[in-house]
Amino acid sequence: MINERMQKEINEQINAELWSGYLYLSMSAWFTQNNLPGFANWMYIQYQEEFTHAMKMFRYIHERGGVVTLKPIKAVDTKWKSATAIFEQTLSHERTVTSLINSLMDTAHEIRDYATINFLNWYVDEQVEEEANAEEILEKVKMIEKDKAAMYNLDKELSTRVFVDATLNAE
Ligand code: FEO
């Protein structure tokens, strides 16, 4: 049986992961509306990934005999000034998510919930990748945003990203 406080915090994180997905879906829409289909694809996959992050927690709470409580998902931004602004927000948001995961890990250590510590390790690793990906694209976009040909090429590169549910192999 999962500890109540741990359950409450994981439920809050489910909401945060779903919110992240909602944010990236909104960014995907912006890219589509601004004729950057490859960027839109990248963000759409990001949205799908966030939902898998939420679902991994959803399954975990049930595995531990707990109760999933889904809360309303708050509204997200719908307009941005540029692709650079979007990736700045993406990177800063991923850093926030990393700190949320770290707080969950703090709680798990405090209450000596070793199963949850193990479970959360997957997210600790994932956040390293999430921040690195956002940072890499942000640096590229900052360099080339005013150069249409270079943006076209980066858009083509981002159109090749495909969705893989990385949470399934990890269980
Ligand atoms: Fe679920 Fe982008 O971290």
Side-chain angles (χ1 to χ4, degrees):
M1 194 72 188
I2 192 159
N3 167 284
E4 284 241 340
R5 176 174 158 210
M6 197 75 252
Q7 173 176 289
K8 183 170 176 288
E9 291 183 20
I10 297 175
N11 268 311
E12 280 162 11
Q13 190 61 29
I14 289 177
N15 189 272
E17 299 290 342
L18 293 174
W19 188 86
S20 303
Y22 209 38
L23 174 67
Y24 295 142
L25 188 59
S26 185
M27 290 172 168
S28 176
W30 187 92
F31 281 124
T32 298
Q33 289 147 24
N34 286 274
N35 305 313
L36 288 164
F39 280 85
N41 171 65
W42 194 92
M43 276 299 172
Y44 187 80
I45 289 166
Q46 199 63 17
Y47 141 73
Q48 288 176 296
E49 279 197 0
E50 295 303 345
F51 273 62
T52 69
H53 299 168
M55 288 311 296
K56 184 175 170 67
M57 291 178 179
F58 182 102
R59 293 190 296 272
Y60 178 70
I61 290 178
H62 284 153
E63 254 170 34
R64 298 284 310 277
V67 176
V68 169
T69 312
L70 297 177
K71 297 273 173 58
I73 302 171
K74 288 205 185 100
V76 290
D77 290 344
T78 55
K79 289 193 179 87
W80 290 270
K81 273 196 286 194
S82 61
T84 299
I86 286 191
F87 277 93
E88 275 167 353
Q89 188 177 353
T90 300
L91 178 58
S92 115
H93 178 61
E94 286 302 334
R95 286 178 176 154
T96 303
V97 174
T98 299
S99 68
L100 294 174
I101 297 292
N102 289 344
S103 301
L104 284 176
M105 196 58 120
D106 287 343
T107 300
H109 277 279
E110 203 185 309
I111 63 174
R112 299 163 67 99
D113 180 348
Y114 299 112
T116 299
I117 291 169
N118 257 346
F119 171 75
L120 289 173
N121 271 326
W122 185 88
Y123 290 87
V124 172
D125 291 343
E126 177 66 15
Q127 281 313 117
V128 173
E129 208 180 297
E130 290 280 74
E131 286 190 33
N133 289 342
E135 195 157 11
E136 189 192 323
I137 300 175
L138 173 61
E139 288 312 313
K140 282 187 190 167
V141 174
K142 272 207 295 207
M143 258 189 303
I144 65 164
E145 182 146 26
K146 297 217 159 54
D147 176 345
K148 284 202 167 130
M151 278 297 275
Y152 177 78
N153 284 334
L154 181 57
D155 191 66
K156 266 212 318 221
E157 185 188 319
L158 297 181
S159 74
T160 60
R161 185 182 189 195
V162 289
F163 172 64
V164 179
D165 186 346
T167 68
L168 294 179
N169 299 331
E171 281 168 11

